Structure formats: structure tokens, C-alpha cells
Amino acid sequence: APRDAGAAAEMWAALRRSLRDADFANLRKMPIMLGTTPNPLALLPFRHEAAEASNIVRMGEDFEDYRHALGKKVRKEFDRSWRVFTATPDARFEIVADEAEALRVYETISLQQRERMEEVGQAYTLDRPENDAFYRALIRDGFATGEVVVSALKAGDTIVAGLMSVRSGQDCVMIRISNAGGEWSRCSPGRLILERTMAALHARGARSFDFSIGNYGYKRRMGVEAVGLVELTAPLSLRG
């Protein structure tokens, strides 16, 4: 990938020649770095700073060091939530190992997210056919390779909380999360599945966890660092 502005400009020119039927480019919420490599699109002079930022937790080799840095109050809350959750028979956390089960968890995430958005009176579009197809393809193409990770809190066959993440090496981006709410709220299943997933993936070599956009209180309590994103809008034709 291009690593300087000149090479990035050449890449953009090649892209424009290839996109003959496109009138306008609108690329949003792009990271400045891709691991240790610059994002070539972020090197272009007409990119601009995005209004949103990613929220990233970076940690070292010992996951307990991260937990300790969160403070005693947060640690005790995680431990309390786990005790409350596991008081239910057959309550457990798991990294899903079967693709069919990963799809079942994804479908539950989508349903729970819709119910939550309707409850708070917000529009929900992630289950539109084109969006749903994208996430299903992501699982189909990336689950076996480990690029897509699906985790869940379960009580028997009930999916109490679900999390869908994308992983590349040490970097993990958490892209879809939901929980059943209701009586399960007493164990804070959303935060609990985040903490349990981070611990499990840290044991598998992950060291950076991106909570994505949204300046929510639970993210701050989990020690995130705001990292800027960039956007790019450009005409590709006279019509554009």
C-alpha cells in the first residue's frame, strides 16, 4: 500500500480511471492508520477530519494490568455482574466455534438491536436486506479464518448478549453488540460480554480493541482513548 502522499495520489488517479460509472466518492469514518501502516486514503490532501472518533483500548501482555488500571470500583462491578449472571443455571460465556451458531447469534443481535432502537424511538436500518446481506457475507467469508469473531453470553439456549467483532492480528474492532435487557439488566450483560470477550481474545494475542464511534459512558469506564478518524468526499465526474 502507498506510504507517502505522492504514491497515494497515483493510487487515487488509478482508482478514478477504474470507477468510470461512479459520479461521487463519499468515504466516511476511516482510520488514519491500518495497524502500523498509514491508510493511503488518509494521505490525500482533500481528506478532512471526521466529526466522530474511534474509541480504542490498547493493552500490554497482562490482561490483569488492564483490569487494575480501570480502578477498584469498575473491577468490583465486573465481578458482581459475573456472579449475578452465573447464578442462573447453565449460564456461560463462549467464543462461538460453529459457523451456523455464529449466524444464530448474529440474527439474535440484529433482533435485539431492533427492539432496543424501537424502545428508545430511534430509526434502525441494519436489518435492511442490503445491510443484512453484508454482515452475513462477512461471517460466511471470515468466520473460518478467524477474521470474524462472534461471542455470546448464554443461559441454556437463550442468548443473553451477543458481540460480533472483526480481527486482524493484534487489532480487534467490535462492530455489533446487543443484549436481551429486561430482567437480565441486573447483571449489565453489555459490559460483561465486552470484558469477557476482551479477556478471551487477549489470551489469543489481541492487544488493541476498537469500540467504534459513539462517546458513551460505558466506553469511558472501560478506559478507551479517543482516536481521530478522517473522511473523503470527491467528485468523480462532471455530474458529481
Side-chain angles (χ1 to χ4, degrees), residues 60-77:
E61 297 304 306
D62 191 338
F63 187 77
E64 286 305 311
D65 287 345
Y66 161 71
R67 277 176 50 95
H68 183 77
L70 294 177
K72 184 177 181 180
K73 181 178 180 180
V74 176
R75 292 197 307 275
K76 289 180 68 175
E77 180 60 24

Side-chain angles (χ1 to χ4, degrees), residues 2-53:
R3 292 174 177 266
D4 60 71
E10 292 180 14
M11 180 200 70
W12 182 252
L15 282 171
R16 288 195 58 166
R17 289 193 296 270
S18 298
L19 297 173
R20 293 172 184 162
D21 295 328
D23 294 309
F24 194 75
N26 179 23
L27 306 176
R28 302 174 57 207
K29 295 177 286 188
M30 297 187 296
I32 296 173
M33 299 293 295
L34 304 171
T36 59
T37 302
N39 177 358
L41 295 169
L43 296 173
L44 296 170
F46 48 91
R47 64 103 173 95
H48 55 276
E49 186 176 333
E52 303 99 336

Side-chain angles (χ1 to χ4, degrees), residues 76-138:
K76 289 180 68 175
E77 180 60 24
F78 280 138
D79 294 340
R80 184 202 67 82
S81 295
W82 182 247
R83 288 194 302 271
V84 172
F85 174 64
T86 54
T88 300
D90 199 22
R92 64 201 185 277
F93 164 81
E94 65 179 50
I95 298 289
V96 178
D98 177 75
E99 185 175 326
E101 180 62 9
L103 282 169
R104 185 175 84 92
V105 174
Y106 159 72
E107 289 165 358
T108 302
I109 290 173
S110 189
L111 178 62
Q112 290 176 346
Q113 285 184 323
R114 167 164 284 283
E115 291 174 346
R116 175 58 180 165
M117 290 298 100
E118 290 177 346
E119 180 182 319
V120 299
Q122 294 186 14
Y124 183 69
T125 62
L126 292 180
D127 59 355
R128 287 179 179 172
E130 64 273 20
N131 296 333
D132 179 64
F134 169 81
Y135 288 104
R136 289 179 182 275
L138 199 61

Side-chain angles (χ1 to χ4, degrees), residues 195-212:
E195 188 256 356
R196 293 287 152 166
T197 300
M198 292 167 72
L201 294 183
H202 183 275
R204 300 183 183 189
R207 296 294 181 268
S208 174
F209 298 88
D210 188 341
F211 284 56
S212 191

